[in-house]
Amino acid sequence: MGKVFVIGIGPGEENYMTPAAKEGIISSDIIIGYKTYIDLIRPFTEGKKVIDSGMKKEIERCNLAVDLAEAGSTVALVSSGDPGIYGMAGALLEVKHERKSPIEIEVIPGVTAVSAAAAVLGAPLMHDFAVISLSDLLTDWEVIKKRLALAGEGDFVIALYNPKSKGRVTQIEEARSILLQHRKNSTPVGIVRNAKRQGEEMTITTLEEMLLHPIDMFTMVIIGNSNTLVQDGKMITPRGYHL
Amino acid sequence: MGKVFVIGIGPGEENYMTPAAKEGIISSDIIIGYKTYIDLIRPFTEGKKVIDSGMKKEIERCNLAVDLAEAGSTVALVSSGDPGIYGMAGALLEVKHERKSPIEIEVIPGVTAVSAAAAVLGAPLMHDFAVISLSDLLTDWEVIKKRLALAGEGDFVIALYNPKSKGRVTQIEEARSILLQHRKNSTPVGIVRNAKRQGEEMTITTLEEMLLHPIDMFTMVIIGNSNTLVQDGKMITPRGYHL
């Protein structure tokens, strides 16, 4: 009976991939993942069977991984960031359970996108924060809107995963409108594209002007709380120390 | 003029320390950190000046790092987990600003405790989540209680950092009471001590029974949302796929 490693490779470059992630890939016979992520780990996949797969085929990928592990292989299912945060870990565990499969599954955590983006911006996550995905493919938009409002009311710093894609553009506008009911126009907002990997771009703007900047599916948006400030070009949420 | 790296070493073992973290330590002349974390990175500090410091001396540590960098050294300020999540990144940036110091600061993100704990438990963070610290040393307890209530109402998965310490034992009891106003007794709760490092222990219990299990400052508590379930001994928050 084989095993599946669900591996988080972090932002994408070797510099932020943990030794545990590399070992998981190296000790696997077969590597499965979305093409972009597979390209990022080519140096470690030589001589292995590599299965590129498209987006939105998560369950197919999980079933394939379980099939291959049941046939005796060690399989690496590769995600960017941390597979435990909106990643493949959950779907794989669900598929294993549904199929009553006896295979072993090991989740290898990675540096998640919000950590990478925060490091680029400065230190926006020094206080309590909420992580919300704006993708309504699998979640009712009303639920997401309610969460945005409550996180706004609770003065959480708010990190938005999946803020916008080609076919999904209005959610970020609505999210901003909801948050403006609880935060000032001048609230700092950090926008980071390709955090801690090639092509990194970052902007620090405000809730008022955030939509003037490009946002896409490779972007993380972090909205400050009522104490967040911008100092020396960095976005900082004070923890409350007396300096 | 020198530089300070604020380095996240992840859970603590080499296996989860990124190459960027190691390089930051290796390229520094002086290493500063809380004793427990310094001990974890001994293999990389040979021949360097190492300054152990006690807990609760964050600002002192930051001032020392700025002093040394201003004198021309490259300094590594070491945190466990990710220094951008309740870590040293914010305090250091604030101290630099307050002192109008021209030193360079680079934040190196790491695998944060909530990612490590989630990987041990299964996949509890597949849906929107709130990260809340129960430490009221620097935050008014009323603010924390309000956030707990709103996160409870919003059906966020909730990760509690600093759930309990020797001198701070009632907060976790109050947090549980608040969440019970929004969640069932049977809501799954994951408790992980020393996630992804030596001495790792994990329990999956319920909101009703969570206080029967030991919780301390090395523990992360993750409380499921209304859909979180326990399957094959793993805590899973379904993302909503049709299997």
Side-chain angles (χ1 to χ4, degrees), chain B residues 14-36:
Chain B
E14 206 181 325
N15 212 16
Y16 280 103
M17 198 181 308
T18 66
K22 276 180 223 174
E23 272 165 41
I25 294 167
I26 290 166
S27 67
S28 295
D29 313 307
I30 303 174
I31 318 293
I32 304 178
Y34 175 48
K35 198 179 168 311
T36 311

Side-chain angles (χ1 to χ4, degrees), chain A:
Chain A
M1 190 54 57
K3 173 171 179 171
V4 183
F5 290 102
V6 196
I7 298 178
I9 61 167
E13 292 186 0
E14 207 181 326
N15 212 16
Y16 280 103
M17 198 181 307
T18 65
K22 276 181 222 173
E23 272 165 41
I25 293 166
I26 289 165
S27 67
S28 294
D29 313 307
I30 304 173
I31 319 294
I32 305 177
Y34 174 48
K35 197 176 170 312
T36 311
Y37 308 145
I38 291 284
D39 287 342
L40 296 168
I41 57 163
R42 286 277 175 222
F44 313 107
T45 60
E46 212 173 312
K48 297 180 187 300
K49 185 170 179 186
V50 174
I51 305 174
D52 287 357
S53 68
M55 286 282 285
K56 295 188 192 173
K57 299 206 170 164
E58 288 89 352
I59 299 303
E60 218 170 275
R61 251 180 284 165
C62 290
N63 272 308
L64 179 60
V66 173
D67 288 344
L68 293 165
E70 285 185 349
S73 293
T74 302
V75 181
L77 194 59
V78 170
S79 285
S80 72
D82 178 6
I85 295 182
Y86 304 117
M88 298 290 289
L92 183 68
L93 286 164
E94 285 187 79
V95 165
K96 169 189 149 77
H97 178 78
E98 185 71 18
R99 291 175 54 166
K100 298 184 172 53
S101 174
I103 61 156
E104 191 190 338
I105 291 176
E106 183 176 342
V107 181
I108 299 186
V111 175
T112 185
V114 74
S115 288
V120 173
L121 293 167
L125 304 179
M126 289 294 109
H127 225 289
D128 303 333
F129 62 97
V131 173
I132 300 176
S133 168
L134 294 192
S135 170
D136 58 354
L137 281 176
L138 297 168
T139 307
D140 188 17
W141 180 238
E142 293 303 317
V143 171
I144 300 171
K145 285 204 294 186
K146 182 178 173 191
R147 287 181 181 157
L148 287 163
L150 291 164
E153 187 182 343
D155 203 24
F156 285 94
V157 177
I158 299 172
L160 302 177
Y161 278 66
N162 308 309
K164 193 173 174 182
S165 68
K166 277 180 190 159
R168 197 166 45 70
V169 298
T170 59
Q171 283 81 352
I172 186 77
E173 296 165 14
E174 272 197 76
R176 174 181 166 276
S177 301
I178 291 167
L179 294 175
L180 273 173
Q181 292 166 27
H182 300 280
R183 309 259 160 114
K184 290 184 190 165
N185 270 324
S186 59
T187 303
V189 173
I191 301 176
V192 189
R193 189 163 188 273
N194 290 321
K196 291 285 177 192
R197 65 177 172 233
Q198 223 186 344
E200 179 182 290
E201 296 168 57
M202 80 90 141
T203 311
I204 297 177
T205 177
T206 60
L207 203 47
E208 181 166 27
E209 300 196 335
M210 61 178 273
L211 297 179
L212 303 177
H213 302 273
I215 295 174
D216 66 11
M217 62 180 288
F218 299 106
T219 307
M220 171 72 62
V221 177
I222 298 181
I223 294 144
N225 73 12
S226 61
N227 295 311
T228 302
L229 38 83
V230 181
Q231 284 179 338
D232 307 329
K234 298 287 182 184
M235 180 174 172
I236 305 169
T237 303
R239 183 99 179 85
Y241 292 110
H242 298 286
L243 301 187

Side-chain angles (χ1 to χ4, degrees), chain B residues 105-117:
Chain B
I105 291 176
E106 183 177 341
V107 181
I108 300 187
V111 175
T112 184
V114 73
S115 288

Side-chain angles (χ1 to χ4, degrees), chain B residues 181-199:
Chain B
Q181 292 166 27
H182 301 279
R183 309 260 159 112
K184 290 184 189 166
N185 270 323
S186 59
T187 302
V189 173
I191 300 175
V192 189
R193 190 164 187 273
N194 290 321
K196 292 286 178 190
R197 66 177 170 234
Q198 220 186 346

Side-chain angles (χ1 to χ4, degrees), chain B residues 76-87:
Chain B
L77 194 59
V78 171
S79 283
S80 73
D82 178 7
I85 296 182
Y86 304 117

